[in-house]
């Protein structure tokens, strides 16, 4: 059973214009009735490409339907045959079901230039130089939009998920790295895209090298993440980097005046990690929201991506 959803905003990424909240009517659910006419119409097909895994979904009967998912890992983008096949299957399915022009949204963690070529992805540098449309095997002439994965997660959870009705929150996504962003004063921040998001705040007292080339980035805390037994038994006392991570995120939220944190990402399938982070941030005075499907936030937001994919 997925949570109910009822608030949204228009958004995009990789653009200078501010992304501003837009109220929509209630009764919108991921698998239930559609919202009012002011609800942005989700795209027909959504793709989320993460450093660990990818997923493809279609939007049918006013709900998300997962078509398939698989491993991204360190494979060359050209070798992701199953991703291309699944995406093309989803497109064919959507085209068959609706006479309207197909619309596709893509959530992607890296930076893409005006030709649609990946120019930066600190966690997966092998992707640099590849054109996203070719990696996915786009049918010719199909309109597509894209979104930074952190922004997509904010959109997905804020519009359709646990963050509905919340004007300001800090979203932190625990995946291959740590991503996320801020909804502040009804605007998604940062609006301009930079692949180095929350996970690359240099706040750890360590010389550990991050994939971005800097040292001390928050996401390198994941390299010392204890096993579940240790976390469950000792909490953050067994994970000093995690303690610093939580302190930094809590300070950030406090300074910004944002009382709510949304925690998401595939790593939060680990209940010990989920509970440890939730407890620590709650103790820091924050309201913590965690979606039931912590792997689906960016995929959900990809249905609302607005920046054109060249
Ligand atoms: Zn970094």
């Amino acid at each position: 059973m997925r949570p109910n959803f009822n608030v949204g905003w228009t958004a995009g990424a990789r653009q200078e214009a501010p992304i501003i909240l837009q109220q929509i009517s209630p009764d919108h659910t991921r698998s239930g009735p559609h919202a009012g006419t002011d609800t942005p119409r989700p795209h027909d097909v959504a793709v989320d490409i993460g450093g660990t895994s990818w997923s493809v979904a279609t939007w049918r009967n006013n709900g998300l339907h997962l078509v398939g998912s698989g491993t991204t890992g360190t494979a060359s983008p050209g070798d992701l045959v199953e991703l291309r096949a699944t995406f093309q299957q989803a497109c064919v399915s959507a085209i068959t079901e609706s006479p309207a022009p197909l619309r596709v949204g893509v959530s992607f963690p890296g930076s893409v230039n005006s030709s649609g070529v990946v120019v930066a992805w600190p966690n997966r540098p092998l992707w640099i130089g590849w054109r996203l449309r070719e990696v996915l095997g786009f049918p010719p002439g199909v309109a597509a939009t894209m979104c930074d994965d952190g922004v997509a997660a904010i959109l997905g959870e804020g519009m359709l998920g646990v963050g509905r009705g919340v004007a300001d929150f800090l979203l932190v996504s625990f995946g291959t790295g740590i991503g996320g962003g801020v909804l502040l004063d009804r605007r998604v921040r940062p609006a301009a895209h930079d692949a180095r998001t929350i996970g690359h705040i240099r706040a750890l007292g360590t010389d550990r090298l991050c994939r971005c080339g800097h040292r001390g980035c928050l996401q390198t805390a994941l390299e010392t993440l204890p096993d579940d037994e240790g976390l469950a038994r000792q909490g953050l006392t067994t994970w000093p980097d995690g303690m610093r991570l939580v302190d930094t995120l809590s300070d950030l939220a406090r300074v910004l005046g944002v009382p709510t944190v949304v925690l998401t990402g595939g790593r939060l399938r680990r209940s010990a990690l989920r509970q440890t982070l939730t407890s620590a941030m709650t103790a820091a005075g924050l309201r913590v929201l965690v979606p039931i499907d912590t792997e689906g936030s960016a995929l959900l937001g990809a249905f609302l991506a607005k920046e054109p994919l060249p």
Side-chain angles (χ1 to χ4, degrees):
M1 181 80 182
R2 295 180 188 276
N4 292 323
F5 325 98
N6 68 359
V7 163
W9 55 83
T10 59
R14 299 173 175 82
Q15 59 188 23
E16 298 299 330
I19 301 168
I20 305 173
L21 275 173
Q22 179 187 55
Q23 286 294 133
I24 63 172
S25 61
D27 302 327
H28 185 53
T29 69
R30 197 178 299 189
S31 56
H34 200 282
T37 54
D38 54 345
T39 305
R41 186 171 81 83
H43 304 316
D44 305 299
V45 176
V47 182
D48 173 41
I49 299 173
T52 302
S53 61
W54 55 263
S55 52
V56 178
T58 57
W59 192 265
R60 285 188 297 163
N61 302 320
N62 301 316
L64 181 153
H65 295 262
L66 188 67
V67 177
S69 60
T71 302
T72 312
T74 54
S76 165
D79 292 336
L80 296 175
V81 178
E82 191 185 351
L83 167 59
R84 273 188 292 285
T86 305
F87 172 67
Q88 290 169 344
Q89 175 194 338
C91 290
V92 169
S93 171
I95 289 170
T96 304
E97 289 194 5
S98 170
L102 179 66
R103 301 188 313 162
V104 174
V106 179
S107 162
F108 184 67
S111 297
V112 173
N113 68 12
S114 59
S115 299
V117 174
V118 180
V119 293
W121 186 3
N123 290 330
R124 291 287 179 264
L126 203 60
W127 281 63
I128 293 173
W130 285 82
R131 189 164 184 251
L132 270 188
R133 278 183 179 268
E134 289 168 4
V135 172
L136 289 167
F138 258 77
V142 170
T145 56
M146 67 178 306
C147 194
D148 165 72
D149 65 334
V151 173
I154 296 174
L155 285 172
E157 293 304 335
M159 186 164 184
L160 305 168
V162 293
R164 68 193 185 282
V166 182
D168 304 320
F169 63 71
L170 172 67
L171 181 139
V172 188
S173 177
F174 292 81
T176 307
I178 295 176
V182 186
L183 181 72
L184 184 63
D185 198 20
R186 298 170 67 82
R187 297 184 179 195
V188 179
R189 311 292 180 90
H193 183 69
D194 186 330
R196 293 171 301 126
T197 55
I198 286 175
H200 299 279
I201 295 175
R202 288 167 280 182
L204 296 184
T206 170
D207 281 338
R208 203 179 301 120
L209 188 63
C210 179
R211 285 171 172 154
C212 73
H214 292 137
R215 296 183 188 276
C217 291
L218 285 181
Q219 72 169 21
T220 66
L222 297 175
E223 295 176 23
T224 58
L225 182 60
D227 60 22
D228 286 355
E229 189 181 342
L231 273 179
R233 196 174 55 245
Q234 295 177 276
L236 287 182
T237 58
T238 191
W239 187 25
D241 286 338
M243 196 175 293
R244 189 67 180 264
L245 166 69
V246 167
D247 285 346
T248 304
L249 294 176
S250 301
D251 284 347
L252 179 62
R254 180 178 53 78
V255 168
L256 293 172
V258 175
T260 304
V261 174
V262 176
L263 299 179
T264 188
R267 283 186 192 262
L268 295 192
R269 279 177 302 174
R270 292 177 56 178
S271 61
L273 177 60
R274 191 171 65 243
Q275 288 168 10
T276 297
L277 293 170
T278 300
S279 298
M281 290 190 176
T282 301
L286 296 166
R287 181 170 69 132
V288 180
L289 303 174
V290 183
I292 293 172
D293 179 7
T294 58
E295 290 183 275
S297 302
L299 179 62
L300 198 57
F303 279 106
L304 306 169
K306 289 226 168 178
E307 181 74 5
L309 174 63

